[in-house]
Amino acid sequence: MTTIRVLSFAYGRAPAPTADLTIDLRALLRNPAADPELRPLTGLDQPVYDHVMNTPGAEWLAVHAVATARGLARETGADVTIAWDCTSGQHRSVSLARASYDLLHAAGDRATITHLDVHEPPAPRTDPRPEDGDDLLMVDLDGGRGGPLPDHTR
């Protein structure tokens, strides 16, 4: 039986962990750290988790990342790692990792969860700034190996 590993981490604190799916949440979801009441909390705390998961698209991301990981595990027979990242590794990434793990657990899959930076001091801000208010979603499907992106312009 395969295992799906779920990680949360801070972008820019250290090299990204090796993962099959790396999902960067910095520009996509509201940052709870912008709220002074939520800043000292983490995604392990229910108010932060609720704030993140009530952001449009958060639940959709968790469901589809889990579906992709489950499909990869089924098709390849290999363990799969989902890595969620955000600025501090304490709010958005922790919340999405929790949601993913809960979905996997509810489906009866073997899963682990690790929060690499949840108890570290805040990392320097690295949130990308989308131009013209556009949302930005970065998904690293080659596990940080730097493979070429497909050319869909033809």
Side-chain angles (χ1 to χ4, degrees), residues 13-75:
R13 184 180 300 279
T18 300
D20 303 293
L21 300 168
T22 300
I23 304 169
D24 185 337
L25 301 168
R26 292 174 296 153
L28 190 63
L29 302 180
R30 290 189 302 244
N31 189 353
D35 181 333
E37 291 183 18
L38 297 178
R39 187 176 303 126
L41 305 176
T42 73
L44 299 175
D45 298 301
Q46 200 62 42
V48 170
Y49 179 82
D50 292 343
H51 177 90
V52 171
M53 295 311 295
N54 286 323
T55 301
E59 185 176 344
W60 186 93
L61 268 175
V63 167
H64 290 285
V66 165
T68 300
R70 293 181 81 214
L72 285 170
R74 182 180 58 250
E75 292 296 318

Side-chain angles (χ1 to χ4, degrees), residues 5-148:
R5 292 180 296 272
V6 181
L7 306 174
S8 70
F9 71 99
Y11 186 87
R13 184 180 300 279
T18 300
D20 303 293
L21 300 168
T22 300
I23 304 169
D24 185 337
L25 301 168
R26 292 174 296 153
L28 190 63
L29 302 180
R30 290 189 302 244
N31 189 353
D35 181 333
E37 291 183 18
L38 297 178
R39 187 176 303 126
L41 305 176
T42 73
L44 299 175
D45 298 301
Q46 200 62 42
V48 170
Y49 179 82
D50 292 343
H51 177 90
V52 171
M53 295 311 295
N54 286 323
T55 301
E59 185 176 344
W60 186 93
L61 268 175
V63 167
H64 290 285
V66 165
T68 300
R70 293 181 81 214
L72 285 170
R74 182 180 58 250
E75 292 296 318
T76 66
D79 292 347
V80 174
T81 301
I82 305 170
W84 297 97
D85 79 83
C86 64
T87 302
S88 69
Q90 298 169 340
H91 302 102
R92 293 167 286 186
S93 63
V94 173
S95 297
L96 267 291
R98 274 183 64 189
S100 301
Y101 177 82
D102 290 347
L103 288 166
L104 290 162
H105 188 262
D109 293 317
R110 184 165 38 189
T112 63
I113 187 168
T114 305
H115 302 294
L116 299 176
D117 298 304
V118 71
H119 298 297
E120 295 294 325
R125 285 193 67 85
T126 57
D127 286 5
R129 301 287 184 228
E131 295 181 15
D132 302 321
D134 292 336
D135 284 333
L136 175 65
L137 169 63
M138 293 181 268
V139 179
D140 181 354
L141 296 177
D142 74 351
R145 292 183 285 277

